[in-house]
Each structure stands twice: as C-alpha cells, then as structure tokens.
Amino acid sequence: MLGAARRSGCVLGQLMQTLRPAATAARSYSATPKEMTVREALNSALDEEMSADPSVFLMGEEVGEYQGAYKITKGLLDKYGPDRVLDTPITEAGFTGIGVGAAYQGLRPVVEFMTFNFSMQAIDHIINSAAKSNYMSAGQISVPIVFRGPNGAAAGVGAQHSQCYAAWYAHVPGLKVLTPYSAEDARGLLKAAIRDPDPVVFLENELLYGESFPIKAEVLDSSFSVPIGKAKIEREGKDVTITAFSKMVGYALQAAEILSKEGISAEVINLRSIRPLDRAAINASVRKTSRLVTVEEGFPQHGVGAEICMSVVEDSFEYLDAPVERIAGADVPMPYAANLERLAVPQVEDIVRAAKRACYRSSSMAANA
C-alpha cells in the first residue's frame, strides 16, 4: 500500500506539468434531451470539470475499471486515463489521507466513498486534516477536496449501511455540506463543490441516481453551477413551510400535492446546502406562512431539523401561529426487515399529518395519501 501511495503521489505531483486541459466539447442544446437522470448529471459534471481543469482527479474503490459502483464515473477512465481516475484498495483511511495530502499541494481530488457509512473509517482525515487546516495554518493552506458518495437509507441494507451523515458533518466548522435532490442540483452543486477552495462533503442518495428530472438548456452549459448556501423554493405556498433535503424533497412535494386537494397551500423548500444553511430563505418563508414542518431521514436528536427549528425560534418566533413540527427517522438503528424499515424512515403520509397538525386541521388522511 505504501509503495502504491508513493507511486500515486509521484504521478499526482506531476499532473500540473504533464497534463493539458482538454477542450470542452461544444454542446448543441437543440439536440439535448429535456430530461436527465441524477447519475447522468453527476457524470457530466465530473467530466466537464476534469476537462476544464487538469488538477481535478478522481479516486476511490472501483471508480476506474468497474466505472463506479453506481456507474457515476462511467467512461472517465477511458477518457482521462489511470493517472486521473485512480482505483484504490479497500482502505478508506488510506486513500482519503492521500487525497487530502494532494489537496494540500494544490490538486483538486474528488474522493468517492462507496457509501458514506464507510467514511467513518476516514473521519479523522475529513475533520482533523481537511476541515481544520485552513484555520490552523492562518489561511496559508487551502484544501480544495470533495468527498462524495451515496448517503442515507437505500433499501434492505441494514443498520450499518443506512445512516444519514448530514448532521454529523454539518456540525464541523471548515466543512461545507451539500445535499442534491434533482439532476439540476446534482450537476450544479457538484461543479460548485469541485471549484470551491474548501473541503466539501457531497451527500448523494442511491435511490435518486436513476431518477429523471426535467432540465433547462442553461443547466447544460459548462459554466453552470448552483451557488453553495442557497436553498431553492420548489413549490410556493402560503399556509405552511416544509423544509427538506435530498430524497425527502420528493416526498415533501408529494405531500404538498395531497395537501392542496384539501385546501392547504404548502411551500416546499429544497435546502440543497446543509452547511452553510440558508437561514434567510427559511425564515422568509416562515414569516409568510407562519408554520413550519422540517423533514429529514436522519435521527431526530441534534439533527438538521433541530437546527432549523432553533433558527426560526431565534429569528421569527413572533411570526409562528403553531408549534414547529419535526419529521425525522426513527431513533433506532435501521431495521433490516422491509416492513420495519418503512416504519423507520419518514413517509409522505407522515408529512401530510404534520402539516395538518400545524394548520389545526383533522389528522385523518385523504383517501389517496
């Protein structure tokens, strides 16, 4: 492993001198499909950023020859070669440390974890080496690195592969934590993360990879990016605010549609960024609707929802007409049994019930909820 690390270090150290940026392929928007999967969005973002900047490289388990466990890196080894798409041993602590060291030297690594549950093996490098170095060096050391991979519950993978790490990493000063929902989010936020001078934790969702979303032509421009720290109002409303991130945004939108049939107008906010958190957008919405429901997959204690609730209490308490409702995963390790797993993860009907409580409506569900 040490020999491999030294060889990788030599190769990476010579990248700036030996590689020239490839010309970014021109896009014909008229021939571009109007929908894109999250997988395609992530792949295209990686491809374009690697083409534009020779200091960007990928590393992780099976990212090269196998083209990624979820095919996010498909075709990139053939295009950029083994010097920039590095297959690593199954040792997260080892290759994450190599990535952080490369970032110290001015390269821009994108480190893939096959699942963010495995990032626990490398958490010392992420927090103590990546997140704190800029501050501890008085700004002399930048750490432009992205840690990306699937986060949260998938399906039937048990307690050790189902945790949501949004609140874990959002707790740490020096890190930026992004949680894309749509193809536009995935493409724009990943580009912003790779270009950012600071370490970014990029939390994807395995169940969203194959989901298609409508996209605008501007999203396909190679210069497109989504600003870090800005939420998006996915659906406007006037009666209750629902905040969500990642897969839960889709659930919140489904809940809002059900609520609309019962005369409740819900505003759905896609957080996109957990750290920094767009407190201004959240509070502005709550001041309009006077009610708040927070939704997340993670554990409830010390969660993202708890932080949002506190922000609203601090800045907009006098605007609230009802107690804040918090929807989160069950406070238990994720069960393996499918029926228990469903009970442990928030569902659309949970959001509908919470919104009704906030609006002082009957908690009985609509027939199609």
Side-chain angles (χ1 to χ4, degrees):
M1 174 59 197
L2 290 176
R6 292 191 187 99
R7 288 194 297 274
S8 297
C10 291
V11 171
L12 298 176
Q14 296 169 0
L15 277 177
M16 296 299 290
Q17 287 75 36
T18 60
L19 293 174
R20 289 178 296 179
T24 303
R27 291 184 177 273
S28 174
Y29 293 142
S30 60
T32 302
K34 295 181 180 180
E35 288 199 347
M36 176 181 278
T37 66
V38 170
R39 177 180 290 108
E40 292 167 342
L42 293 168
N43 178 269
S44 67
L46 290 170
D47 185 6
E48 290 176 9
E49 293 307 300
M50 292 181 73
S51 178
D53 186 348
S55 68
V56 178
F57 71 96
L58 315 180
M59 62 191 310
E61 298 155 5
E62 300 184 342
V63 299
E65 295 289 346
Y66 191 66
Q67 304 195 77
Y70 303 98
K71 300 298 179 277
I72 304 300
T73 53
K74 183 178 180 180
L76 299 182
L77 175 63
D78 291 340
K79 185 171 183 178
Y80 297 101
D83 287 348
R84 297 184 68 192
V85 183
L86 305 175
D87 277 322
T88 67
I90 305 175
T91 169
E92 284 78 10
F95 66 74
T96 303
I98 292 171
V100 173
Y104 284 173
Q105 298 302 313
L107 299 179
R108 291 184 175 271
V110 179
V111 175
E112 176 179 309
F113 296 117
M114 197 176 291
T115 160
F116 254 92
N117 297 274
F118 300 156
S119 74
M120 293 178 70
Q121 303 294 324
I123 203 165
D124 180 61
H125 289 303
I126 297 171
I127 293 176
N128 281 327
S129 299
K132 299 177 182 177
S133 291
N134 185 264
Y135 172 80
M136 294 181 70
S137 68
Q140 297 180 75
I141 299 176
S142 293
V143 192
I145 187 170
V146 176
F147 306 101
R148 55 153 298 269
N151 169 71
V157 292
Q160 294 176 325
H161 298 86
S162 300
Q163 297 174 109
C164 175
Y165 286 88
W168 288 55
Y169 288 116
H171 186 67
V172 182
L175 290 179
K176 295 175 182 176
V177 181
L178 306 181
T179 53
Y181 160 62
S182 65
E184 177 182 324
D185 291 352
R187 181 171 159 81
L189 287 172
L190 185 53
K191 281 175 162 286
I194 293 171
R195 297 170 189 175
D196 199 87
D198 297 314
V200 178
V201 172
F202 198 85
L203 303 175
E204 303 155 12
N205 186 282
E206 176 185 340
L207 299 179
L208 288 176
Y209 284 148
E211 194 162 328
S212 294
F213 291 87
I215 52 170
K216 300 175 182 177
E218 64 191 51
V219 175
L220 298 175
D221 192 285
S222 60
S223 64
F224 174 78
S225 68
V226 170
I228 292 174
K230 294 296 182 182
K232 178 185 179 184
I233 297 178
E234 296 282 352
R235 177 177 179 138
E236 293 190 354
K238 60 183 178 61
D239 295 328
V240 59
T241 297
I242 304 175
T243 64
F245 61 92
S246 191
K247 185 170 178 282
M248 289 294 107
V249 176
Y251 282 23
L253 289 170
Q254 291 178 52
E257 184 62 29
I258 293 170
L259 290 165
S260 70
K261 297 175 182 178
E262 301 192 26
I264 297 175
S265 174
E267 182 150 292
V268 177
I269 297 181
N270 173 7
L271 296 175
R272 284 181 163 176
S273 176
I274 305 301
R275 185 182 185 104
L277 187 65
D278 194 348
R279 301 172 191 273
I282 295 167
N283 278 279
S285 179
V286 170
R287 292 183 182 197
K288 177 175 67 172
T289 66
S290 299
R291 294 171 176 83
L292 173 65
V293 176
T294 70
V295 187
E296 63 186 305
E297 277 191 4
F299 301 128
Q301 186 160 325
H302 311 304
V304 175
E307 178 65 22
I308 292 172
C309 292
M310 195 64 227
S311 175
V312 169
V313 166
E314 289 174 338
D315 297 335
S316 303
F317 179 75
E318 66 273 23
Y319 289 86
L320 289 172
D321 286 342
V324 174
E325 294 280 348
R326 179 175 56 162
I327 304 298
D331 200 18
V332 296
M334 180 66 72
Y336 177 72
N339 60 327
L340 296 179
E341 180 184 65
R342 188 180 190 281
L343 292 173
V345 178
Q347 302 297 326
V348 173
E349 54 264 32
D350 298 322
I351 305 171
V352 173
R353 279 193 291 264
K356 287 184 174 182
R357 287 194 299 268
C359 294
Y360 300 109
R361 295 288 196 92
S362 168
S363 60
S364 62
M365 296 296 295
N368 61 347

